Amino acid sequence: MEKKLTLAELLRMLEDFEVIELEDVTIHGDIGLEFGGTTGMSLPPALTHALQTLLSGGAVPRAFEAQRAQELIPASFKVARAEWTGKVEEVTIGATAADGGTRERTVTLGGEHALPFYRFDAPMPHPPVISLDCFDMPISLAKAVRVYYEDVMEDPGAWAKKNVQEFGAELVTIHLISTDPMLKDTPAREAAKTVEEVLQAVKVPLIIGGSGNPEKDPAVLEAAAEAAAGERCLIASANLNMDYERVAQAAMKYGHVILSWTQLDINAQKTLNRYLFKLGVPREAIVIDPTTAALGYGLDYAFTNIERMRIAALKGDTDLAFPISCGITNAWGAREAWMKDSPLKEDSTWGPAALRGPLYELVTGSTLALAGGDLFMMMHPTAAAAVKRVTQQLFGSAAEAGKGHGVALEDWLTWDGGGARQ
Amino acid sequence: MKLSSPMEIWKYLPGTNCGICDEKTCLAFASLLKERKKVVEACTPLFTEEKYAEKSKQLVALLAPEIREIEFGVGATARRMGGEDVMHRHELTFFNRTLLAYDVWDTLDEVTLRERVQHLSSWRKFYVGEFLTIDAIAVRAVSGDPQRFAGCVKQVAAATDLPLVLCSFEPKVLEAGLREVAATNPLLYAATSTNWRAVLELARTYDVPVTLFSPDLDTLMSLARTFSTAGHAKLVLDPGTAPLGAGLAETFTKLVQLRRAGIAEGTKEVAYPLLVVPMTAWLLQDDTGAGLDASYWEAVLATIGIIKYADIMIMHSIEPHALIVERTLAANIYTDPRRPVSVEPGLRAIGTPTAESPLFLTTNFALTYYTVESDLSSNKIDSYLLVVDTEGIGVEASVAGGQLTADRIKETMDSIKVETTVTNRTLVIPGLAARLSGELEDVTGWTVLVGPRDSGRLPGWLEEHWPPARSA
């Protein structure tokens, strides 16, 4: 037996169900309802159920009862892929015998045409890589780092070797800081010998850094570039406060890649890159360093600066479409990374510095990897290994893909704390 | 928000330029609404005058953030999640910082539980002019026993004002806990494709926000659609946090895609706050790699969460190194990039200084200034602090970049007539500005002392170097 439903009753019910619009519904004069059409039913199943009950003679359900959903309303999640017109330049560091060098392998950076690890938008051609620092003289280091390098501080070759053999560095950075007139004022020619030593000691691609002294660096980097001719090193760096032309010319003449370094300034980065283009530096020989600031000490500026540069590159700004290098070792500038405890009485204890320091470096590195960094210059072996690890996961490295499968996504909720430290 | 320019917003305003909102014109007010620097309620005529009733209703809906804003907790410690409008912070800013909830569980013994809650509630770290604290406590039902869970929740609630997240997949257990603290508006965790009827009923009955959990995004959206259709839209979405491998990459993908659908594509049914569980790192045992501390991998997962759209996270490691790093990163990423990075230059008195107290120099970069200022006041060092305008750049970089020079320091000293306040004619400069000391003595005629490289070491430095030896 069919029950007649008045329009008012129907409208009230629809209101109860917060239905504002009915699609593909035809209402005939005497209230016959036909649901149909090609776009599918948009009524909640509970309402359909209530309507059916009502129309077949049942009682009019009360609003609250009616709203007690019986079945999940089906849904299909859809999201578009982001398509970018720009592409980051691909840059190779290091040259093997086939290309006139003596490296056993090379490292290729860049080539992205999506945001970092957005592999659902476009494939990511190369994973980020890690270079470990070494210096041409003993330097003052936080204790948590120093313990790893104490035995090699006097010997850059041994230091570089340790970086590769013990800590798995994919590249090594030799910082020629002793050339600084305020330190040892080592002559450029002597510094070049250190470069040769390091090239002998390791077979990974090399990054060569100066002391940061704008007057001295051009001569130092020129001599170093000559000593490493044909090895396709990354020369660090050219910047606007120095004779960058001399550095760039040397890099070109001896077949190296140049690091274009600016300080948290997107326009300065564009300007310097354009100067380098004008000098004839090939696009595939430029890496940029927009400056890394430590967690808690300007990391947000560094993050956004890098993210903006990468987005600009993907949108087609060819001035900025280069792999990005990040000096993650700067994280140790944060006093939380090395100080024994808080100098403020009002703070809760900072806990052991030995645990804080590496974590500052690790989180600074992971953060900038997510912003768009391609190359990470680091120091603490644990932090370096962990940044490598997390970028490998997100990159989709085949060796890592099967890891962690034993953990069901709900397990944490009922985990008993498994002997965890309190 | 759905309006893309101040002009579009202006069309809904009275257009009378009455000034009640403290802005000179309605257009000026409109541009502040666009930047979310003012709330529409500041335009009282819009809400009190009948003729604007329709416009005000429309405007409120159009100005609503793309991601629904959900509140949990009550009173001063209540927290907001979501409310976001952009995919990248430079496009405007992120608004509601990723909330950090640390866990306790109902099989902990009473003493440990009390200590853990106490530690979490009192933890704080000074940072740029304020104390960082944690946001919430997540109570996990490990026992599966409703009574035991209720007892634990009750004990936690008695010991803290922090908002709670109640965690169980068993509706009966969840309800037992909820009954204890329903008035404090806790967040429920979680409704799933199997328990959702009962959890929906609970959330509706007690009118509290609820998390929906499903690693399958169709199911997650289906849950959200079912809940909102049933009239409950205080929702948080958890697509599941895998700690490693392909699962972690999938988690990353889901977070980005959910947020992209919600903000960039206007898919209202997934435009809710997102929940991430970095503590899944603790279930990996030794799988994270040689000797890597689980708290480290948890911090890595937390980094991904903070940067890629988690609005709330459930964490386990409560050791200082983990708390400091995670909470600082959340503060950094959610700092408004439009906020000036500098403070006013000039002379500041710390404590109650006299004319013979030390005078320290620092830059007007906010981070540097607040660090030095707090080091001095926390250690009760009565002194003056000379803040030089370095265009918002820190000491080391401004010495290198030429924003901090002897001449500029002298200008600042002259402009405030510092000699009338400090009569000992001695200036202490940061160790990182040591190279300026000679020239600075020449141009000012003052004695310049080079202080430590970090202002945290000023107390020890003063013991050795203050008061300065008097030359005859």
Side-chain angles (χ1 to χ4, degrees):
Chain A
M1 182 189 76
E2 284 205 349
K3 182 184 187 284
K4 300 280 183 195
L5 174 63
T6 69
L7 199 52
E9 276 177 305
L10 175 63
L11 290 176
R12 197 161 55 238
M13 278 184 67
L14 293 176
E15 208 164 74
D16 283 345
F17 281 94
E18 298 184 356
V19 173
I20 297 157
E21 244 175 0
L22 285 175
E23 272 181 12
D24 306 317
V25 175
T26 323
I27 298 185
H28 298 300
D30 205 353
I31 300 287
L33 285 177
E34 272 176 25
F35 300 110
T38 51
T39 54
M41 266 283 301
S42 60
L43 286 185
L47 173 58
T48 315
H49 176 76
L51 277 171
Q52 280 163 355
T53 313
L54 196 75
L55 292 171
S56 61
V60 178
R62 291 156 49 85
F64 186 78
E65 290 301 313
Q67 282 180 47
R68 187 187 295 241
Q70 295 301 313
E71 297 302 330
L72 281 179
I73 308 168
S76 158
F77 177 78
K78 287 191 180 62
V79 68
R81 269 177 46 202
E83 309 236 4
W84 303 94
T85 53
K87 181 171 180 276
V88 177
E89 204 67 49
E90 257 181 357
V91 176
T92 297
I93 304 174
T96 60
D99 293 308
T102 62
R103 305 300 87 196
E104 275 172 5
R105 56 176 186 271
T106 64
V107 161
T108 301
L109 309 170
E112 296 98 336
H113 37 115
L115 287 172
F117 312 112
Y118 282 35
R119 293 181 292 123
F120 40 90
D121 285 337
M124 186 170 180
H126 307 288
V129 297
I130 314 276
S131 176
L132 290 179
D133 293 329
C134 63
F135 297 81
D136 68 345
M137 63 179 275
I139 55 158
S140 117
L141 291 171
K143 195 178 165 202
V145 183
R146 197 173 64 230
V147 293
Y148 291 96
Y149 301 112
E150 240 152 8
D151 56 334
V152 290
M153 280 224 220
E154 303 278 352
D155 183 346
W159 193 334
K161 200 175 262 183
K162 190 169 194 184
N163 285 350
V164 175
Q165 289 179 352
E166 283 190 39
F167 307 135
E170 297 165 283
L171 303 90
V172 166
T173 307
I174 172 70
H175 297 276
L176 303 168
I177 55 162
S178 76
T179 58
D180 191 331
M182 305 277 275
L183 295 171
K184 287 186 175 174
D185 203 12
T186 306
R189 196 170 303 166
E190 214 174 295
K193 283 189 191 138
T194 305
V195 172
E196 283 168 9
E197 241 178 85
V198 175
L199 281 167
Q200 288 292 323
V202 296
K203 293 295 161 199
V204 298
L206 202 64
I207 301 171
I208 302 170
S211 69
N213 181 299
E215 282 79 42
K216 184 88 179 277
D217 269 358
V220 170
L221 294 175
E222 187 181 61
E226 187 178 356
E231 297 286 7
R232 201 170 175 81
C233 301
L234 177 63
I235 305 295
S237 54
N239 67 69
L240 288 165
N241 303 332
M242 56 139 54
D243 184 0
Y244 57 82
E245 182 171 347
R246 186 171 172 192
V247 181
Q249 296 292 3
M252 283 191 284
K253 184 171 175 192
Y254 300 108
H256 301 298
V257 177
I258 190 126
L259 186 63
S260 168
W261 170 51
T262 55
Q263 285 177 293
L264 297 173
D265 183 338
I266 203 162
N267 291 319
Q269 189 71 63
K270 284 171 71 87
T271 302
L272 178 56
N273 290 356
R274 283 188 195 155
Y275 288 161
L276 297 178
F277 304 155
K278 211 176 277 176
L279 292 171
V281 179
R283 293 185 60 86
E284 67 274 15
I286 296 175
V287 174
I288 59 177
D289 177 357
T291 295
T292 290
L295 172 64
Y297 293 84
L299 180 59
D300 41 334
Y301 304 116
F303 174 82
T304 283
N305 192 44
I306 290 175
E307 193 173 62
R308 286 182 63 192
M309 285 189 191
R310 181 49 52 87
I311 289 171
L314 295 173
K315 282 182 174 169
D317 185 340
T318 50
D319 289 348
L320 294 168
F322 297 97
I324 295 173
S325 171
C326 304
I328 303 301
T329 301
N330 287 353
W332 292 90
R335 70 182 186 184
E336 288 84 349
W338 53 267
M339 213 176 244
K340 198 161 178 258
D341 207 328
S342 175
L344 305 183
K345 297 177 176 68
E346 297 84 351
D347 272 1
S348 304
T349 176
W350 285 2
L355 284 171
R356 265 183 275 124
L359 197 54
Y360 260 72
E361 191 179 346
L362 164 52
V363 167
T364 301
S366 307
T367 297
L368 296 185
L370 292 164
D374 297 277
L375 167 63
F376 297 89
M377 300 196 201
M378 302 187 65
M379 273 216 92
H380 195 283
T382 307
V387 169
K388 185 66 194 175
R389 196 87 202 277
V390 67
T391 52
Q392 284 289 320
Q393 314 293 311
L394 297 178
F395 177 73
S397 135
E400 295 291 324
K403 299 280 171 65
H405 268 323
V407 183
L409 294 175
E410 301 88 346
D411 286 356
W412 63 273
L413 203 157
T414 49
W415 179 58
D416 65 0
R421 292 162 304 197
Q422 299 305 317
Chain B
M1 69 177 69
K2 296 293 177 210
L3 298 167
S4 57
S5 72
M7 270 315 285
E8 284 186 37
I9 296 175
W10 179 80
K11 290 178 194 156
Y12 293 88
L13 296 173
T16 54
N17 300 336
C18 69
I20 290 176
C21 62
D22 286 338
E23 297 307 318
K24 287 210 176 80
T25 64
C26 291
L27 191 58
F29 181 61
S31 64
L32 289 170
L33 288 177
K34 180 66 200 133
E35 293 171 24
R36 288 181 61 180
K37 285 181 172 169
K38 280 220 156 180
V39 291
V40 66
E41 287 73 17
C43 176
T44 40
L46 196 61
F47 294 92
T48 51
E49 293 179 32
E50 187 56 36
K51 61 184 169 185
Y52 302 130
E54 191 55 33
K55 276 186 167 181
S56 68
K57 205 171 145 191
Q58 288 172 343
L59 185 56
V60 166
L62 291 167
L63 287 176
E66 295 296 330
I67 302 299
R68 190 183 281 259
E69 193 170 66
I70 306 290
E71 189 174 272
F72 82 121
V74 285
T77 60
R79 292 292 198 274
R80 285 181 188 166
M81 303 171 271
E84 303 301 340
D85 262 325
V86 294
M87 295 297 288
H88 305 287
R89 59 193 288 278
H90 65 268
E91 295 164 353
L92 185 65
T93 179
F94 291 155
F95 288 91
N96 292 314
R97 176 178 50 75
T98 308
L99 300 181
L100 306 184
Y102 289 83
D103 79 329
V104 299
W105 55 103
D106 68 354
T107 52
L108 274 177
D109 66 84
E110 210 167 299
V111 175
T112 314
L113 178 64
R114 194 180 319 120
E115 283 171 3
R116 198 171 165 93
V117 172
Q118 164 67 20
H119 172 68
L120 290 169
S121 308
S122 61
W123 182 83
R124 63 180 189 169
K125 157 100 174 59
F126 189 80
Y127 184 65
V128 202
E130 58 169 11
F131 280 100
L132 304 179
T133 58
I134 70 147
D135 300 296
I137 294 182
V139 190
R140 297 186 292 117
V142 173
S143 70
D145 172 2
Q147 261 185 314
R148 188 155 180 183
F149 184 61
C152 179
V153 170
K154 192 176 178 180
Q155 199 187 334
V156 173
T160 187
D161 290 332
L162 292 176
L164 303 184
V165 186
L166 305 184
C167 308
S168 176
F169 291 122
E170 299 294 329
K172 279 203 177 73
V173 176
L174 217 43
E175 180 165 25
L178 183 53
R179 262 199 232 110
E180 298 292 338
V181 291
T184 66
N185 193 33
L187 170 65
L188 296 186
Y189 186 98
T192 66
S193 60
T194 49
N195 73 9
W196 65 271
R197 288 181 189 81
V199 177
L200 169 59
E201 211 48 46
L202 265 184
R204 280 165 50 122
T205 307
Y206 292 91
D207 191 26
V208 290
V210 59
T211 311
L212 311 178
F213 166 72
S214 174
D216 176 77
L217 296 189
D218 289 344
T219 308
L220 193 60
M221 184 165 165
S222 170
L223 281 163
R225 182 179 280 181
T226 305
F227 275 55
S228 63
T229 304
H232 197 77
K234 294 180 184 177
L235 305 177
V236 173
L237 308 182
D238 174 14
T241 306
L244 207 63
L248 175 55
E250 277 163 30
T251 296
F252 175 85
T253 299
K254 287 172 191 168
L255 292 170
V256 173
Q257 292 191 329
L258 283 167
R259 190 48 47 100
R260 181 185 283 176
I263 286 182
E265 300 182 9
T267 310
K268 278 282 152 218
E269 282 163 312
V270 293
Y272 295 101
L274 302 175
L275 182 142
V276 167
V277 187
M279 72 166 283
T280 53
W282 287 84
L283 280 80
L284 285 172
Q285 309 301 340
D286 288 331
D287 210 8
T288 47
L292 190 63
D293 197 292
S295 69
Y296 273 33
W297 198 252
E298 181 176 40
V300 166
L301 299 182
T303 302
I304 295 174
I306 289 166
I307 289 166
K308 292 300 174 186
Y309 313 122
D311 297 286
I312 180 168
M313 303 197 294
I314 298 179
M315 324 271 292
H316 178 71
S317 176
I318 62 167
E319 294 163 282
H321 65 271
L323 296 179
I324 291 172
V325 163
E326 287 147 7
R327 187 58 185 78
T328 303
L329 182 64
N332 282 179
I333 296 299
Y334 280 75
T335 294
D336 188 341
R338 302 168 297 176
R339 196 187 64 160
V341 301
S342 51
V343 297
E344 280 294 304
L347 188 70
R348 307 283 209 289
I350 311 289
T352 48
T354 68
E356 284 300 308
S357 297
L359 171 66
F360 299 104
L361 180 142
T362 191
T363 74
N364 76 327
F365 179 40
L367 266 165
T368 313
Y369 169 76
Y370 284 114
T371 304
V372 177
E373 195 269 340
S374 60
D375 285 342
L376 293 172
S377 46
S378 168
N379 289 291
K380 303 200 177 355
I381 300 169
D382 293 326
S383 54
Y384 289 101
L385 186 54
L386 183 69
V387 185
V388 179
D389 183 358
T390 57
E391 297 159 39
I393 298 174
V395 177
E396 198 166 19
S398 63
V399 169
Q403 295 85 2
L404 184 61
T405 61
D407 287 334
R408 195 173 288 191
I409 295 169
K410 181 172 188 320
E411 269 171 43
T412 313
M413 290 168 69
D414 290 347
S415 70
I416 54 166
K417 296 191 172 56
V418 69
E419 69 280 356
T420 60
T421 316
V422 180
T423 56
N424 58 32
R425 297 182 65 82
T426 304
L427 175 64
V428 184
I429 65 171
L432 291 171
R435 71 167 77 165
L436 299 180
S437 66
E439 197 190 345
L440 192 54
E441 291 206 324
D442 292 346
V443 299
T444 60
W446 282 41
T447 303
V448 174
L449 301 179
V450 177
R453 291 168 65 89
D454 191 293
S455 59
R457 294 185 164 169
L458 276 172
W461 183 88
L462 284 170
E463 267 173 40
E464 257 182 68
H465 298 93
W466 199 266
R470 295 282 164 198
S471 50

